[in-house]
Amino acid sequence: MNETNPVPQPEESPPGFHFDEQDDRPKTSGGKVRRIGGRRGRKPSKIDQKAKLERSRQSARECRARKKQKYLYLEETVANKERAICALREELDMYKQWCRDVDKGIVPPEIKEALKDAKQTAETSSDLNQSKNRETQD
């Protein structure tokens, strides 16, 4: 009366488990039942995969839009800097010309106007300072 357990056929084994050929117990690893070829958790359905793919596409669209905005901003900044550089070069050329004129003994009219404005500003500020000094002395 020696009863031996027949080795279960693949149809009889639970799905996802592997049985040893000589033994009808599932293979274990450290005392735990080991599943074959799968990850833990629920398997993604087609709907989840489609939603994930759509989210990925949306994220890519948003990324491209941000990149485009960044490049537009950078192009605008470069254009502004180039305009500022051109204006500064023109101003530098003007000052160089004034220096050449002064070296020749010619005082450009722009310098005369700038000196007059500076003199008037200095006189006005000194008048204000004198009036403030008088008020504090009284």
Side-chain angles (χ1 to χ4, degrees):
M1 303 245 166
N2 193 359
E3 256 182 65
T4 59
N5 291 336
V7 176
Q9 299 302 317
E11 301 87 50
E12 297 173 14
S13 62
F17 289 100
H18 178 71
F19 290 96
D20 284 336
E21 305 301 326
Q22 299 90 9
D23 198 349
D24 61 349
R25 292 177 297 164
K27 282 192 173 181
T28 60
S29 172
K32 296 181 182 176
V33 175
R34 187 175 64 189
R35 291 182 64 96
I36 293 180
R39 295 181 179 171
R40 288 198 225 164
R42 93 188 151 120
K43 294 181 181 178
S45 66
K46 289 228 178 212
I47 296 170
D48 289 343
Q49 289 175 347
K50 287 180 181 179
K52 183 177 179 181
L53 187 60
E54 184 56 37
R55 283 194 307 269
S56 176
R57 288 178 182 151
Q58 180 64 30
S59 177
R61 276 192 292 272
E62 291 170 0
C63 181
R64 286 189 295 271
R66 283 192 305 271
K67 185 176 180 181
K68 184 177 180 181
Q69 287 299 110
K70 182 179 179 181
Y71 276 96
L72 289 173
Y73 168 76
L74 291 174
E75 287 173 358
E76 182 180 329
T77 303
V78 167
N80 290 337
K81 300 289 183 188
E82 286 175 347
R83 282 193 293 273
I85 289 170
C86 288
L88 289 171
R89 282 192 177 139
E90 288 175 7
E91 187 177 353
L92 180 62
D93 290 340
M94 179 184 68
Y95 291 140
K96 285 180 180 178
Q97 185 60 44
W98 286 4
C99 290
R100 282 189 224 109
D101 290 346
V102 168
D103 288 343
K104 292 178 184 175
I106 303 168
V107 180
E110 295 91 0
I111 292 178
K112 289 180 182 178
E113 290 175 18
L115 290 174
K116 284 181 186 177
D117 291 340
K119 185 177 179 181
Q120 288 175 354
T121 305
E123 289 173 356
T124 306
S125 64
S126 66
D127 290 342
L128 290 174
N129 287 337
Q130 289 175 0
S131 64
K132 286 181 182 178
N133 288 338
R134 286 185 201 144
E135 290 174 6
T136 54
Q137 289 174 357
D138 293 336

